[in-house]
Amino acid sequence: MTLIQQASSPLSSWFGWPSKGSDTSSSSSTCSGGESSKAQSDSDDDRWERERAFDIADSLECGMAREIVTEFMHPLRRASRLWKFHLMRSEDKLQYRLFSDDGDFLMYAKVDMEARQVNFFLYNPGDKNEKLFNAEKPPFTMSWSKDKRDWKIVQERCEHCQFSPKHLTCSCHGKQQVAWIRHERKPVGDGIFNCMEVHVPGLYADGSRVVWCPLLGREDLSAPVDDTYEAQSLITKQPTWNDEVESLVLDFKGRHILSSAKNFQLALSHKPDHVLCQYGKIGPSTFSLDFKYPLSVIQAFGISLTTLFWT
């Protein structure tokens, strides 16, 4: 399947959220077993965190530290147009870097085929602040099912229980969910349409985010979305078959897009014609990623990488 078209900003400039954004009910759930075996691991983690704190302090003085993970979780500032970004893919197709269209680095992702997982990082390995990059501790991870149909993005340190003792956090119960994605293939005209359904945590009336922590009694994000604010559902916009070019086509307004099976557009399920996110190939190893409120950087970046196996 192919889709075609005819035809300087710091990170904070895209964001406009309220200072409060957490659902912080208390919980007493615990993980069972393995307490003694975890002691050494916890001690190593604490030691690493202390050493890292000094590195972060040094980088803060140089303006290079990027430790506020919630910045990548908040929806972008409301705007009438899509904010423009782009991805650079490595030659082996296992590493991806997200940049603003002005060239500012935002996130780095690495695919682990054996683990069926994509790891996301706030630091770019090879940069001058490389000492803050730790391949063993990604802030976000995305896993996929054996049939490559279902994908789930989680935040490794939950906003609800990150300050609780480790045995009282949701790390043993599935972690904080950021997005759930399901893929399908449908015939359209003489072509095959790669499509997806996406569920993301919703927003409260004041604009703060619903924190999808399992210790707050929330169902899995894969559950059907109801009419409440708890979760939002997005769907891919269906392309049309063009007899002249013998291909499925979409109109990527504002972008010159190359033909690719990975190209897609997303809209809220109740507003299917209002595009909130579009992903399209613009070079041999470069893809545009344009999106807006209510999606966050990690959600849009992760969703785009679920096309990894689309052909």
Side-chain angles (χ1 to χ4, degrees), residues 205-224:
D206 65 356
S208 59
R209 292 175 294 108
V210 174
V211 175
W212 210 271
C213 170
L215 298 189
L216 295 173
R218 306 196 189 284
E219 292 185 81
D220 193 88
L221 263 178
S222 62

Side-chain angles (χ1 to χ4, degrees), residues 142-144 148-152 179-181 183 306 309:
M142 179 172 68
S143 57
W144 67 82
K148 305 181 181 70
R149 184 186 181 203
D150 293 336
W151 302 68
K152 184 182 292 184
W180 171 83
I181 303 99
H183 291 176
T306 68
F309 302 108

Side-chain angles (χ1 to χ4, degrees), residues 29 31 161-173 215:
S29 298
C31 296
C161 53
Q162 61 180 323
F163 300 114
S164 301
K166 292 183 179 180
H167 66 285
L168 296 178
T169 67
C170 68
S171 60
C172 305
H173 303 273
L215 298 189

Side-chain angles (χ1 to χ4, degrees), residues 76-296:
L76 297 193
R77 180 163 54 86
R78 289 180 181 271
S80 58
R81 297 184 179 181
L82 301 175
W83 296 96
K84 293 186 176 183
F85 305 85
H86 65 270
L87 275 66
M88 297 294 294
R89 184 179 65 188
S90 63
E91 187 174 349
D92 62 6
K93 300 183 180 181
L94 296 178
Q95 300 179 66
Y96 296 81
R97 288 169 171 82
L98 176 65
F99 299 89
S100 73
D101 256 18
D102 291 330
D104 298 319
F105 169 79
L106 292 179
M107 295 191 81
Y108 166 74
K110 186 171 184 179
V111 180
D112 186 336
M113 288 293 189
E114 184 176 352
R116 297 207 308 266
Q117 181 171 291
V118 181
N119 298 318
F120 297 89
F121 303 90
L122 308 187
Y123 293 95
N124 188 5
D127 277 1
K128 53 186 176 183
N129 56 340
E130 184 179 8
K131 62 181 179 180
L132 293 179
F133 175 82
N134 187 334
E136 302 302 319
K137 289 185 175 292
F140 304 96
T141 59
M142 179 172 68
S143 57
W144 67 82
S145 59
K146 190 173 183 179
D147 61 4
K148 305 181 181 70
R149 184 186 181 203
D150 293 336
W151 302 68
K152 184 182 292 184
I153 306 172
V154 299
Q155 183 171 336
E156 291 295 308
R157 283 196 169 189
C158 175
E159 294 170 77
H160 163 64
C161 53
Q162 61 180 323
F163 300 114
S164 301
K166 292 183 179 180
H167 66 285
L168 296 178
T169 67
C170 68
S171 60
C172 305
H173 303 273
K175 303 179 182 177
Q176 179 184 349
Q177 296 183 38
V178 177
W180 171 83
I181 303 99
R182 170 163 289 174
H183 291 176
E184 300 283 355
R185 287 169 63 86
K186 299 179 180 179
V188 176
D190 293 334
I192 297 296
F193 169 39
N194 286 319
C195 59
M196 67 175 82
E197 178 184 4
V198 179
H199 294 175
V200 296
L203 300 169
Y204 292 108
D206 65 356
S208 59
R209 292 175 294 108
V210 174
V211 175
W212 210 271
C213 170
L215 298 189
L216 295 173
R218 306 196 189 284
E219 292 185 81
D220 193 88
L221 263 178
S222 62
V225 173
D226 55 27
D227 295 330
T228 68
Y229 58 80
E230 293 290 317
Q232 299 182 87
S233 175
L234 296 90
I235 57 174
T236 36
K237 186 175 181 181
Q238 183 169 307
T240 57
W241 179 260
N242 187 304
D243 288 325
E244 183 178 345
V245 297
E246 297 184 344
S247 176
L248 293 166
V249 297
L250 284 170
D251 182 12
F252 285 77
K253 296 180 179 178
R255 289 286 195 182
H256 179 69
I257 302 298
L258 304 178
S259 176
S260 172
K262 301 182 187 301
N263 298 349
F264 71 81
Q265 292 179 325
L266 279 178
L268 288 171
S269 57
H270 62 279
K271 294 182 179 180
D273 294 325
H274 184 59
V275 174
L276 297 178
C277 177
Q278 62 182 25
Y279 180 67
K281 187 173 184 178
I282 56 177
S285 300
T286 308
F287 296 81
S288 66
L289 177 60
D290 307 332
F291 61 100
K292 64 179 180 178
Y293 183 96
L295 290 178
S296 66

